[in-house]
């Protein structure tokens, strides 16, 4: 129920109650006034009439009837009846018949000596009857004992007067009606005034309620009308100013946030909710960036990004790729939450030819939502998941990574709404990934020989524990080959260092091509190389060594202005058969290499404990 309606009902109820109470009191007062006026009038008239009647009764009885007829002409007088009491009847006789008590009321007055009043209705008109006793002592100015022989308090008789109260009643009704009419008019005026006062309050409150509901739904443009120049008008003006500032500031905030997210600032239905969602997204992006900056490796960053895609964006199928621009290939890192080394939602050719990936080639977001078959390399393995969104991550001005999302039609709208936040995540991740990539490259440079591309001795020292832990888990032998190019110093001295460098590069290529991917080839120093062979027995160890020796011997090394044949000497040892520690086994392989040199070079020598003269602990 609205306020003005409740106010009118309350005011009407109060005025009705006041009207009923006032009218009741007024009616009681008017009735009392009427009765008292008639009573006083009847008392006065009763004395006059009684005196005249006594005189007529004693001196001119023949005029008594005419006198009674004349009473009816008196104002308000209907009739009068004088009757004798017992004392008078005993002294003077019963008198005429109309001198006798006419009804029980008159007889009661004679018996009690008390006046009685009564109101009756004749033809719906009120008639006042007053029966008054006349005693010996009723009027001190009249000496009744001169004519009557009775006790001092004896009732000599009485008079019954009937008066017409129509005039008084009518006057009372007119007064009550006038007061009622005035009261009704005053009530209507008061209700009109109350409604005029409350209407601006109610309408302003209604407008505020409507504007607040709009604000809850995100629309802060609601304005309310100023209906008065009092406090209510001030409230309306202040509220309009508040909504104006809120609407303007929220739009400015949303515009700034949209610029940060680099998305189109479209007009949202719920300005507050959309702005809050965008700000919350930026906060999460900021926390994400702070977290990944503390990660040690690039894969840690990619794993966190995968968790964001899965937990925050609810993407079930996705792939994370890294682009190797030097080799012009794309490396799959994660597919559907798991690390991977092969593609699943793309043609495998992108692994060997990065230009076949449209997102990598153009550096632009690629999706088949609006343009089907925009990328021929996309492969769907589920009849529902037929849409893809590939977002390139720009690092140092070129595509460094690619995030591929695979989804179905029902997920498309929500994913497109979340796309600006997702792109913000990727923009913040880009410099972190680039920094860690450069750090990894720098670290890789310090752990590799720049000339041959092989790991160096520092790599062996740094990853020694990792290698041994892996060896311990497999619980298999590890073979060690120590290799040295025969008469390498002569090449430098006679053909120059450039020729020597080319020779070492050629030998390094032979070594890498002669072992498995799990084996480790290290340039140990100068013309010395070290090979660690996983899971080998003594026979296989010597076979590999002999194969390497034969290939080096057969190889024609193309040097600047020369074709050169070279040989290599190899020492072999086995862990844990020859030693318990890796450095010990490496030392024993070096001892065997020394024996190969001593025995004429270009040969493979397996370590024998007899070669180690120092029996103490290495």
């Amino acid at each position: 129920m609205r306020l003005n309606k409740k106010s009118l009902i309350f005011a009407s109820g109060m005025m009705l109650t006041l009207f009923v109470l006032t009218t009741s009191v007024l009616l009681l007062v008017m009735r009392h006034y009427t009765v008292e006026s008639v009573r006083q009038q009847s008392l006065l008239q009763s004395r006059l009439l009684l005196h005249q009647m006594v005189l007529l009764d004693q001196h001119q009885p023949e005029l008594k009837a005419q006198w009674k007829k004349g009473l009816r002409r008196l104002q308000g007088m209907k009739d009068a009846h004088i009757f004798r009491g017992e004392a008078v009847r005993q002294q003077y006789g019963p008198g005429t018949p109309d001198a006798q008590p006419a009804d029980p009321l008159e007889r009661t007055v004679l018996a009690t000596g008390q006046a009685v009043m009564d109101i009756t209705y004749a033809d719906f008109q009120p008639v006042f009857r007053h029966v008054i006793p006349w005693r010996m002592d009723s009027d001190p100015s009249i000496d009744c004992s001169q004519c009557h022989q009775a006790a001092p308090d004896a009732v000599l008789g009485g008079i019954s007067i009937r008066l017409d109260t129509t005039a008084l009643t009518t006057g009372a009704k007119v007064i009550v009606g006038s007061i009622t009419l005035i009261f009704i008019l005053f009530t209507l005026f008061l209700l009109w005034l109350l409604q005029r006062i409350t209407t601006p309050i109610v309408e302003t409150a209604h407008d505020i309620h409507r504007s607040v509901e709009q604000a809850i739904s995100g629309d802060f443009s609601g304005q309310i009308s100023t209906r008065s120049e009092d406090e209510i008008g001030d409230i309306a003006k202040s509220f309009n100013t508040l909504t104006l500032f809120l609407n303007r500031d929220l739009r400015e905030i949303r515009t700034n946030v949209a610029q940060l997210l680099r998305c189109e600032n479209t007009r949202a239905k719920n300005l507050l909710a959309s702005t809050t969602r965008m700000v919350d997204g930026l906060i999460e992006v900021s926390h994400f960036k702070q977290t990944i900056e503390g990660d040690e490796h690039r894969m840690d960053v990619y794993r966190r990004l995968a968790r964001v895609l899965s937990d925050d964006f609810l993407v079930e199928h996705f792939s994370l790729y890294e682009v190797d621009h030097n080799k012009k290939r794309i490396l799959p890192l994660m597919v559907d939450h798991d690390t991977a080394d092969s593609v699943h939602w793309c043609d495998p050719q992108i692994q060997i030819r990065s230009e076949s990936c449209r997102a990598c080639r153009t550096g632009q977001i690629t999706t088949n939502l609006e343009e089907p078959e925009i990328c021929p390399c996309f492969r769907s393995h589920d009849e529902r998941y037929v849409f893809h969104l590939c977002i390139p991550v720009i690092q140092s001005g070129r595509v460094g990574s690619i995030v591929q999302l695979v989804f179905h039609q029902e997920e498309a709208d929500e994913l497109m709404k979340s796309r600006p936040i997702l792109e913000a995540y990727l923009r913040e991740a880009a410099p972190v990934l680039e920094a860690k990539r450069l750090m990894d490259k720098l670290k890789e440079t310090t752990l590799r020989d720049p000339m041959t591309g092989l790991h160096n001795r520092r790599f062996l020292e740094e990853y020694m524990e990792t290698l041994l832990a892996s060896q311990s888990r497999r619980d298999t032998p590890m073979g060690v080959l120590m290799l040295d190019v025969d008469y390498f110093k002569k090449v430098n001295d006679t053909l120059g260092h450039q020729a020597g460098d080319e020779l070492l590069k050629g030998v390094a290529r032979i070594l890498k091509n002669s072992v498995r991917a799990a084996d480790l080839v290290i340039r140990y120093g100068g013309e010395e190389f070290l090979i660690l062979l996983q899971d080998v027995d003594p026979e296989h160890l010597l076979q590999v060594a002999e194969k390497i020796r034969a290939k080096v011997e057969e190889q024609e090394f193309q040097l600047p202005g020369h074709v050169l044949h070279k040989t290599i000497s190899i020492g072999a040892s086995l862990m844990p058969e020859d030693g318990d520690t890796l450095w010990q086994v490496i030392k024993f392989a070096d001892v065997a290499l020394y024996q190969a040199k001593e025995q004429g070079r270009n040969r493979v020598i397996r370590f024998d404990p007899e070669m180690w003269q120092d029996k103490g602990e290495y």
Side-chain angles (χ1 to χ4, degrees), residues 32-33 53 67 212 327 342 369 428 497 503 533 608 610:
H32 177 75
Y33 169 76
M53 190 66 180
W67 173 79
V212 169
K327 299 180 180 180
S342 61
L369 268 175
E428 296 300 327
H497 287 282
L503 175 61
L533 302 173
D608 189 298
E610 296 297 328

Side-chain angles (χ1 to χ4, degrees), residues 342-523:
S342 61
V343 298
H344 180 71
W345 299 99
C346 279
D347 191 323
Q349 70 170 326
I350 67 171
Q351 291 185 262
I352 58 176
R353 185 171 175 269
S354 61
E355 292 84 358
S356 59
C357 174
R358 183 183 182 91
C360 179
R361 184 177 66 255
T362 63
Q364 298 177 352
I365 296 176
T366 303
T367 179
N368 60 352
L369 268 175
E370 299 177 355
E371 186 68 31
E373 300 181 1
I374 189 172
C375 182
C377 291
F378 174 66
R379 297 289 183 269
S380 175
H381 302 282
D382 191 313
E383 60 181 8
R384 293 181 62 222
Y385 292 87
V386 296
F387 296 101
H388 69 88
L389 173 66
C390 296
I391 306 176
V393 182
I394 306 301
Q395 303 172 11
S396 298
R398 59 183 182 178
V399 179
S401 307
I402 299 174
V403 176
Q404 181 190 42
L405 310 181
V406 182
F407 51 94
H408 53 77
Q409 182 66 49
E410 290 77 9
E411 298 173 324
D413 290 341
E414 190 63 30
L415 192 59
M416 290 300 103
K417 291 179 182 178
S418 304
R419 175 176 150 185
I421 300 296
L422 175 58
E423 293 180 23
Y425 272 98
L426 299 181
R427 283 195 299 272
E428 296 300 327
V432 178
L433 288 171
E434 178 66 7
K436 295 188 182 301
R437 185 187 67 82
L438 293 175
M439 290 299 296
D440 290 344
K441 186 174 182 180
L442 179 61
K443 187 175 182 180
E444 181 73 11
T445 301
T446 62
L447 300 179
R448 284 188 180 274
D449 174 46
M451 183 177 67
T452 61
L454 300 177
H455 290 293
N456 55 25
R457 184 169 181 171
R458 182 178 177 182
F459 172 85
L460 179 63
E461 294 171 350
E462 189 162 331
Y463 287 92
M464 175 74 74
E465 293 183 1
T466 303
L467 295 172
L468 294 177
S470 175
Q471 176 69 20
S472 177
R473 283 194 301 270
R474 290 195 298 271
D475 195 22
T476 55
M478 176 188 289
V480 177
L481 299 180
M482 184 68 77
L483 309 92
D484 185 86
V485 179
D486 295 333
Y487 301 112
F488 177 75
K489 187 174 183 301
K490 289 183 179 180
V491 176
N492 282 338
D493 292 343
T494 58
L495 301 178
H497 287 282
Q498 183 179 0
D501 293 344
E502 293 298 324
L503 175 61
L504 291 177
K505 291 179 183 179
V507 172
R509 285 193 293 270
I510 293 174
L511 299 183
K512 286 190 291 186
N513 294 332
S514 300
V515 298
R516 299 162 298 181
D519 299 328
L520 191 61
V521 180
I522 297 172
R523 184 183 180 189

Side-chain angles (χ1 to χ4, degrees), residues 250-260 263 265 275 278:
L250 275 176
R251 291 193 180 281
E252 289 182 358
I253 293 173
R254 193 178 191 282
T255 300
N256 294 334
V257 173
Q259 291 177 354
L260 289 175
C263 66
N265 185 21
T275 304
M278 294 169 71

Side-chain angles (χ1 to χ4, degrees), residues 128-144:
F128 179 81
R129 183 183 181 189
H130 195 183
V131 183
I132 306 168
W134 186 266
R135 295 194 302 269
M136 288 285 290
D137 54 357
S138 294
D139 190 349
S141 64
I142 301 176
D143 185 5
C144 295

